[in-house]
Amino acid sequence: MSQNYKRWYDHDPLLLKVINILKDYQEELREQAEIFLDSVEKKVSSEAIERYYNLVKPINSSNRWYDKDPVISKTVELLRVVPPDIQKAVARNFIETLEKNGIKFDD
């Protein structure tokens, strides 16, 4: 059964959790976002990441909550455009890394 979702990440509880964590704790998680980007780069070439990001970054930035920080913005946009299997893998890795570092967030 197909549902229509308002946002691209609403269909997956793990993606929704990662996005909400990034939204609520942007400053605290900037370093983890950089690690997340490195994780994506290991799965996809850095050239492909730059092409994706240049295609998806907004012309008129600062319209969205994540546009205020370039690392967070790139993290969210790249997470949005990578294939679903990579989305899940890096989202899971992001949560696991936070938990290994003793950072816990309510679901």
Side-chain angles (χ1 to χ4, degrees), residues 12-30:
D12 186 323
L14 184 60
L15 290 174
L16 183 59
K17 181 176 181 177
V18 168
I19 296 299
N20 284 333
I21 289 170
L22 285 168
K23 182 179 182 181
D24 294 341
Y25 301 95
Q26 288 180 60
E27 288 183 31
E28 297 89 337
L29 295 177
R30 190 171 198 281

Side-chain angles (χ1 to χ4, degrees), residues 10-58:
D10 285 338
H11 73 283
D12 186 323
L14 184 60
L15 290 174
L16 183 59
K17 181 176 181 177
V18 168
I19 296 299
N20 284 333
I21 289 170
L22 285 168
K23 182 179 182 181
D24 294 341
Y25 301 95
Q26 288 180 60
E27 288 183 31
E28 297 89 337
L29 295 177
R30 190 171 198 281
E31 184 177 325
Q32 292 299 325
E34 289 173 339
I35 293 168
F36 179 81
L37 289 175
D38 290 341
S39 171
V40 173
E41 283 184 7
K42 289 177 184 173
K43 305 224 184 272
V44 188
S45 74
S46 58
E47 293 82 21
I49 289 173
E50 281 305 312
R51 277 196 312 271
Y52 283 142
Y53 185 63
N54 287 329
L55 286 172
V56 299
K57 70 180 177 182

Side-chain angles (χ1 to χ4, degrees), residues 41-100:
E41 283 184 7
K42 289 177 184 173
K43 305 224 184 272
V44 188
S45 74
S46 58
E47 293 82 21
I49 289 173
E50 281 305 312
R51 277 196 312 271
Y52 283 142
Y53 185 63
N54 287 329
L55 286 172
V56 299
K57 70 180 177 182
I59 293 169
N60 184 9
S61 60
S62 77
N63 289 338
R64 302 169 299 191
W65 63 265
Y66 52 87
D67 289 332
K68 294 176 183 91
D69 182 305
V71 170
I72 300 296
S73 177
K74 193 171 188 177
T75 299
V76 172
E77 285 299 335
L78 292 177
L79 182 59
R80 183 175 70 84
V81 299
V82 296
D85 58 326
I86 295 174
Q87 279 180 338
K88 276 196 161 316
V90 292
R92 191 175 301 114
N93 186 309
F94 183 77
I95 297 293
E96 288 171 2
T97 300
L98 292 176
E99 290 174 350
K100 284 179 189 173

